[in-house]
Amino acid sequence: MERSLQAQIRDGMWMIARQWQLGEFLGDDAGSPVDATLGVELRSITTYRPGIDNAATSPIDPKLPIEVHVEREPVALRMRGSVQLGLYFENLLRKSSVANIPTVIAAFRAAFPVAATAPDAGLASDDSLRFRAVAAGRVTDGEALYLSAKAAAAGQTATPPLPAAASNPVVGTILSNLIAYRDSLFTEPAQDSAWQSSELGYEFAIGSPIAGQNLQLHAPDFPGGHLDWYSFSLETAPANTVASANLAQVTPLTYDMLPNRVAFRGMPDSRWWNFEDGTTDFGQLDAEHVDLAKLLVMEFALVYGSDWFAIPVPMQIGTLGRVTTLVVSDTFGVRTLIRPAEQTTVNPGETPWSMYKLSGNGTRSDFIAMAPTLGLADDATPLEEVLFLRDDMAAMAWAVQNSLQSDLDVPLDAYQMYLERIRIDPPPAPPVATATGPQIYYTIETPVPDNWIPMVPVQTPQGQLMLRRGTMEIPTSSGLQKLTARAEILEPQHPFFLADRVVPRAGVLVDRYFRRTRSSDGSTFVWMARKSGVGKGPGWSGLRYDIVSKMTQPAD
């Protein structure tokens, strides 16, 4: 066994001959790169513009990741958050030197009570009703107190007004601590929201202005979630006061580096007799004659994979960078100037090959973006989920509220609440036929589930086709009930319009959820965000018009 396991080779000349036959002894009169001199120009990112209004440009906070800056929106806590904030406030009072603490707490509980009944029964599950029964009259509504105290601190009218005990200097300090604590929980926008409700996505731009040029990276349709360089398009915007006051810092740098061979999974070994890793086998790719991209990848991997070298380009987070010079020295001492691929001469009407470069308005830039984006983020279960879909049978679209933010600040199954509602307040029973009366009855339209909000097609004066949030009257045993949009995604506080082209046949699924991340300096950010994605295809609401049905026959 010992001699067999040695795998001895008796004929060395045979192996040399095989190497000669396979071309391993062939060589080109060229040297391998041993040194690279790299010139880099870095430009800092200094401005942020939400939406498309150039006048809304503001200086960017370099410590704030771009996703946080773009996605954050105001956080509205409901009963559970209000109770927790109220308990925090009352604990601060109990630990303070305020005289007659029980009386002060009672005054704040009377001014900011937790209501005994839910303000919206459609968001009140059985658990939230039990929780409300326990909390009502026993704790201050902390969220309402926070809003009033913050308004009073800003010199505005507090609604509801603060009790007389708030004039006590110690209580005033406690209220200031409450405001600071609540503000520290979440990162909220300062009137710079980038969410475009009519497009179900974010639109923003980050800028790197210099004298005579306001260069911007424009993200016209960021759906939320992961942000990378390919989310941006290059554009030059008109100058504005903020950009002129926050010019980018241009830093030229020079590096001397050792080129490294490109390595990737499945690449062939440069020596014939070496064992290769078979985990990735490019030889097993099934390519047709028209699969040009796949054929190019196979040729690169199988034929020229060992001929490529890579040089890292050092860049700083929050900058734009471009290579200004690249000089490579080989083993023979020959120095070669490597020019950008964009300078390659091509035929008229063609564009040179390029990759990983920013482009926009028919131009291609030599800048590489290193935006201050997130590394890792923890995403919570969506508080709200709304599915926008097409209903070909009804010739309209629907916004289906799958999940809603409940009184307990947790997701609430909207369809389950609809089932609970029709159990308590069912639809009216069909009419009963009489011996001498009609035997059929007419229905104008059938009802739909409570969580299906109609999106009615309308046309703007400019001729653009939009979808407008509508309503319906649903018959119940207690009378007619209007469908109500409760999701913040549907913006129930004012009319909601959505561009018709935004909802394809596949539909759009929009989530509203909390995100949490830690930046490079250790700071923690928690914010409310939205994310839109592909839906689940068309659906049918069950809506039908002009139905003739038989009446219920009387019992014998």
Side-chain angles (χ1 to χ4, degrees), residues 543-555:
L543 177 63
R544 294 182 296 165
Y545 301 99
D546 302 326
I547 301 172
V548 176
S549 305
K550 292 183 178 180
M551 292 185 177
T552 303
Q553 296 300 318

Side-chain angles (χ1 to χ4, degrees), residues 88 92 170-184:
Y88 177 82
L92 291 180
V170 178
V171 177
T173 302
I174 293 175
L175 289 175
S176 298
N177 292 337
L178 174 69
I179 295 173
Y181 172 73
R182 171 62 173 80
D183 289 342
S184 69

Side-chain angles (χ1 to χ4, degrees), residues 3 28 41 92 95 209 231 303 345 362 420 479 496 516 524:
R3 183 176 180 181
D28 295 326
E41 179 185 284
L92 291 180
K95 296 176 182 178
S231 302
V303 180
T345 303
E420 181 68 16
F496 176 76
R516 180 182 184 274
T524 300

Side-chain angles (χ1 to χ4, degrees), residues 27-108:
D28 295 326
D29 190 11
S32 298
V34 294
D35 180 72
T37 302
L38 185 68
V40 179
E41 179 185 284
L42 301 181
R43 288 173 55 169
S44 59
I45 296 173
T46 60
T47 62
Y48 168 75
R49 186 198 73 197
I52 60 175
D53 185 7
N54 196 41
T57 304
S58 62
I60 197 170
D61 185 355
K63 297 181 180 180
L64 197 65
I66 291 294
E67 289 95 332
V68 180
H69 212 321
V70 172
E71 295 179 340
R72 59 183 183 171
E73 63 180 58
V75 177
L77 298 178
R78 292 186 176 151
M79 182 179 59
R80 183 178 181 180
S82 297
V83 169
Q84 291 175 340
L85 206 58
L87 291 174
Y88 177 82
F89 168 72
E90 293 181 2
N91 287 335
L92 291 180
L93 283 176
R94 292 188 179 96
K95 296 176 182 178
S96 68
S97 59
V98 177
N100 201 358
I101 293 177
T103 303
V104 174
I105 292 178
F108 276 94

Side-chain angles (χ1 to χ4, degrees), residues 338-373:
I338 308 298
R339 301 184 183 277
E342 287 83 357
Q343 297 182 9
T344 305
T345 303
V346 297
N347 297 324
E350 297 179 354
T351 56
W353 182 89
S354 182
M355 201 170 184
Y356 305 118
K357 295 293 183 66
L358 295 171
S359 61
N361 297 328
T363 61
R364 184 182 291 115
S365 169
D366 50 1
F367 281 106
I368 299 174
M370 188 65 70
T373 58

Side-chain angles (χ1 to χ4, degrees), residues 260-285 297-310:
N260 297 318
R261 287 188 178 273
V262 172
F264 53 88
R265 290 181 180 272
M267 69 178 299
D269 199 280
S270 59
R271 298 301 300 271
W272 175 264
W273 299 106
N274 288 351
F275 288 99
E276 298 177 353
D277 184 6
T279 303
T280 304
D281 186 4
F282 288 101
Q284 294 296 323
L285 284 176
V297 172
M298 292 177 62
E299 184 176 14
F300 165 79
L302 299 176
V303 180
Y304 301 106
S306 59
D307 296 340
W308 289 80
F309 290 80

Side-chain angles (χ1 to χ4, degrees), residues 208-334:
S208 180
I210 59 174
Q213 184 190 44
N214 185 11
L215 189 66
Q216 290 188 343
L217 300 181
H218 180 211
D221 50 3
F222 175 52
H226 179 66
L227 180 67
D228 214 328
W229 66 271
Y230 47 77
S231 302
F232 297 101
S233 296
L234 188 73
E235 68 177 27
T236 301
N240 57 69
T241 305
V242 176
S244 301
N246 295 271
L247 297 180
Q249 181 180 358
V250 181
T251 307
L253 299 171
T254 302
Y255 300 96
D256 283 326
M257 297 185 176
L258 179 65
N260 297 318
R261 287 188 178 273
V262 172
F264 53 88
R265 290 181 180 272
M267 69 178 299
D269 199 280
S270 59
R271 298 301 300 271
W272 175 264
W273 299 106
N274 288 351
F275 288 99
E276 298 177 353
D277 184 6
T279 303
T280 304
D281 186 4
F282 288 101
Q284 294 296 323
L285 284 176
D286 184 16
E288 299 292 340
H289 294 295
V290 295
D291 294 338
L292 298 182
K294 189 180 295 185
L295 291 172
L296 286 173
V297 172
M298 292 177 62
E299 184 176 14
F300 165 79
L302 299 176
V303 180
Y304 301 106
S306 59
D307 296 340
W308 289 80
F309 290 80
I311 301 172
V313 181
M315 290 184 61
Q316 300 175 3
I317 300 296
T319 60
L320 297 178
R322 63 179 174 183
V323 177
T324 55
T325 58
L326 175 58
V327 179
V328 177
S329 302
D330 60 22
T331 51
F332 295 108
V334 178

